[in-house]
Amino acid sequence: MDIKYAYYRSSVGYKIEGKTDNDIVTAGGGTRAINSFWHDGNLNPLDYVPKTRTLTINGTAYDLSANRSFTTPDTITRLKGGASGTLVSGDVTLAAGANMTVNQTGNTITLASTDTTYSAGNGLTLAGTTFSLPVTTSGTGNVVTGVSQTTNGLTVYLGSMPTSSDLANYIPLSQKGAANGVAALDASGQVPASQLPSYVDDVLEGYYKTADGKFYKEAGYTTLITGETGKIYVSLDTNKTYRWTGTTFVYITSGAVDSVNGLTGVVVLNKSHVGLANAENTADAVKNVLSATKWTTPRTITLSGVTATAQTIDGSGNVAIPITAVPATLLTGTAAVNTTGSAAKLTTPRTISASGDATWTTTFDGSANVTSGLTLAATGVTAGTYDEVTVDAKGRVIAGNNNVKSYTTSISGSSGVVHNLGTRNVDVAMYDTVTFYKIDGRIKLTDPNKIDVEFDSALPNAVSITVTRKDI
């Protein structure tokens, strides 16, 4: 290849070495100035006209060597087929209406109507486009007693007017609730009190209110009962009876007492009502008494720890137990000892008590055995069930704690979860709250109270996450 020119690259493209920007390389290898070529800089198409050409519109030919103007007539001379069901030409659209279709085959346009479907409703019949409502009768007579609709039309039930003999079996409405007629029934199916003789409901029940001297239907004294002479009124709360004087209710007494030992109503007396609460209804031979001449069975009294002579006592008199020897271990200090008797009790009662983790106290004079409850000191822990307890050296629970075992929340993507469980020894479970499928992710045990959850992609739904301690 014969290379006659060298090129170099500039900021605006490649240039010929030693030439100006107006020099153009030709196919033969030479160069020509750019103004010697026809290009968009020196060619004006308006200075040129085409060769003779004609344009035919609706059978008329027009020479295009000169300027021409055309006027489109308003009359549409042709319709052009479009999509199925519509024909379009210019601004005119031929569209199918209700129950009509438009079709085109070649240059032929067909307008076709469609059949309309009719259906008969309940009880109607259809013949072509005509609806009818069949009516049938049931029974005989000249009176309509009922009408019902079926899938086959209407059924009219016929009957006859009642005769005089039929009406003789019925009671006229004019006799309802009237004198020499029949009693009516109220909403409860009962004869109203206004249509009953007075002796039927001579006894009325209610509640007598002492504060205003009136009778009411309810214990809350809401509905007033109007007093009537010749009737007895019973107060349901006291069972007392009253009569109406015309102006007030008067308590009816039988002459018996109204109260016994301050008690009213139905009184059942017992021994406490008459001051005999401590009396026993048992024979003297089988009951214990506070005092007696002597005991039924004599008893023997002996002393242990010393040398003494046993004595028999039946309560009829005092006895003395002779003590002949007292072990030296029982004697301390100096004391005057009466060897012919013994003390029944201490001259001065003594108080015995205990303190510390439990408190106890009692008074003892030696006349009888005594007992007293021991009270444990409170440790400050509320009674209940705890996950962890602290026990002191004496076996007492001095602290209790219920650990939080799990924490549940909802997340929508990668995030940190603060659970405050105080440990990294945890299990993590996650599931989709919509599909309920188990979800896995990267779990970082950030610190004892927090985890970080990471997912590789966006989550379609919210995820429920539960963190559970494993060391409980």
Side-chain angles (χ1 to χ4, degrees):
M1 179 178 180
D2 185 13
I3 301 177
K4 295 182 178 183
Y5 300 97
Y7 299 85
Y8 67 95
R9 183 177 181 180
S10 69
S11 59
V12 296
Y14 288 94
K15 294 184 177 182
I16 305 174
E17 182 71 27
K19 300 293 182 177
T20 67
D21 290 344
N22 290 327
D23 293 328
I24 303 299
V25 178
T26 63
T31 61
R32 289 176 58 185
I34 190 172
N35 56 10
S36 65
F37 292 91
W38 290 110
H39 57 86
D40 59 356
N42 58 13
L43 176 64
N44 186 359
L46 298 178
D47 296 334
Y48 297 86
V49 296
K51 294 181 178 180
T52 302
R53 293 287 187 271
T54 58
L55 174 66
T56 302
I57 301 177
N58 292 334
T60 301
Y62 297 92
D63 184 359
L64 297 181
S65 62
N67 294 333
R68 298 291 183 183
S69 63
F70 303 95
T71 301
T72 302
D74 294 336
T75 303
I76 298 174
T77 60
R78 184 178 180 183
L79 293 177
K80 181 181 179 181
S84 176
T86 62
L87 297 174
V88 181
S89 177
D91 296 332
V92 178
T93 299
L94 182 61
N99 301 322
M100 179 69 68
T101 59
V102 179
N103 298 296
Q104 179 181 10
T105 302
N107 296 327
T108 301
I109 299 174
T110 303
L111 304 179
S113 61
T114 59
D115 293 336
T116 300
T117 302
Y118 299 92
S119 61
N122 187 28
L124 296 175
T125 59
L126 175 64
T129 60
T130 302
F131 291 93
S132 61
L133 179 62
V135 179
T136 59
T137 60
S138 176
T140 59
N142 56 3
V143 177
V144 175
T145 60
V147 178
S148 65
Q149 182 178 4
T150 66
T151 56
N152 297 321
L154 295 179
T155 300
V156 178
Y157 299 92
L158 302 178
S160 301
M161 289 292 291
T163 63
S164 299
S165 60
D166 294 330
L167 296 177
N169 296 323
Y170 296 89
I171 299 174
L173 292 176
S174 59
Q175 296 183 17
K176 179 180 178 181
N180 296 321
V182 295
L185 299 179
D186 59 16
S188 301
Q190 298 178 347
V191 178
S194 60
Q195 298 182 25
L196 295 173
S198 61
Y199 59 80
V200 174
D201 57 351
D202 277 348
V203 178
L204 300 179
E205 294 180 335
Y207 296 88
Y208 180 72
K209 186 177 181 181
T210 306
D212 58 10
K214 296 180 181 179
F215 253 88
Y216 296 86
K217 291 184 178 180
E218 305 88 0
Y221 307 123
T222 303
T223 306
L224 185 68
I225 298 177
T226 303
E228 297 181 53
T229 58
K231 296 184 182 295
I232 302 298
Y233 299 85
V234 179
S235 185
L236 296 176
D237 53 350
T238 62
N239 288 325
K240 288 185 177 181
T241 57
Y242 299 80
R243 64 180 178 84
W244 176 250
T245 65
T247 58
T248 185
F249 287 100
V250 177
Y251 171 52
I252 301 175
T253 176
S254 63
V257 295
D258 290 335
S259 65
V260 177
N261 196 30
L263 302 176
T264 60
V266 179
V267 178
V268 178
L269 289 178
N270 57 46
K271 59 185 180 180
S272 62
H273 294 146
V274 293
L276 298 176
N278 296 324
E280 297 184 4
N281 299 326
T282 56
D284 290 344
V286 295
K287 70 181 180 180
N288 297 322
V289 295
L290 294 178
S291 63
T293 303
K294 68 176 183 178
W295 301 336
T296 303
T297 302
R299 302 299 181 185
T300 299
I301 299 178
T302 60
L303 298 177
S304 61
V306 298
T307 302
T309 302
Q311 301 293 315
T312 299
I313 183 173
D314 63 4
S316 59
N318 297 328
V319 296
I321 301 177
I323 298 176
T324 58
V326 177
T329 56
L330 298 180
L331 299 176
T332 59
T334 302
V337 179
N338 180 2
T339 60
T340 60
S342 61
K345 64 179 181 179
L346 298 175
T347 302
T348 302
R350 302 301 180 185
T351 299
I352 305 174
S353 62
S355 61
D357 293 332
T359 58
W360 171 79
T361 183
T362 187
T363 301
F364 178 71
D365 63 2
S367 62
N369 297 328
V370 294
T371 59
S372 179
L374 181 69
T375 302
L376 292 175
T379 64
V381 179
T382 304
T385 301
Y386 297 93
D387 295 329
E388 296 177 350
V389 294
T390 302
V391 181
D392 64 9
K394 299 177 182 179
R396 301 180 307 162
V397 175
I398 59 174
N401 181 52
N402 284 321
N403 295 316
V404 177
K405 300 179 179 63
S406 64
Y407 172 77
T408 299
T409 188
S410 179
I411 60 177
S412 58
S414 298
S415 60
V417 177
V418 178
H419 53 75
N420 291 325
L421 296 179
T423 179
R424 283 189 170 93
N425 191 14
V426 296
D427 279 330
V428 180
M430 297 183 291
Y431 68 89
D432 189 300
T433 58
V434 176
T435 64
F436 299 104
Y437 281 109
K438 183 179 179 181
I439 302 298
D440 290 323
R442 290 187 296 278
I443 307 299
K444 179 181 180 182
L445 305 177
T446 308
D447 59 50
N449 293 311
K450 179 184 178 183
I451 64 172
D452 286 301
V453 184
E454 298 178 356
F455 299 99
D456 292 332
S457 60
L459 298 176
N461 305 306
V463 170
S464 176
I465 178 170
T466 298
V467 185
T468 305
R469 289 186 60 171
K470 297 170 60 178
D471 54 359
I472 296 180

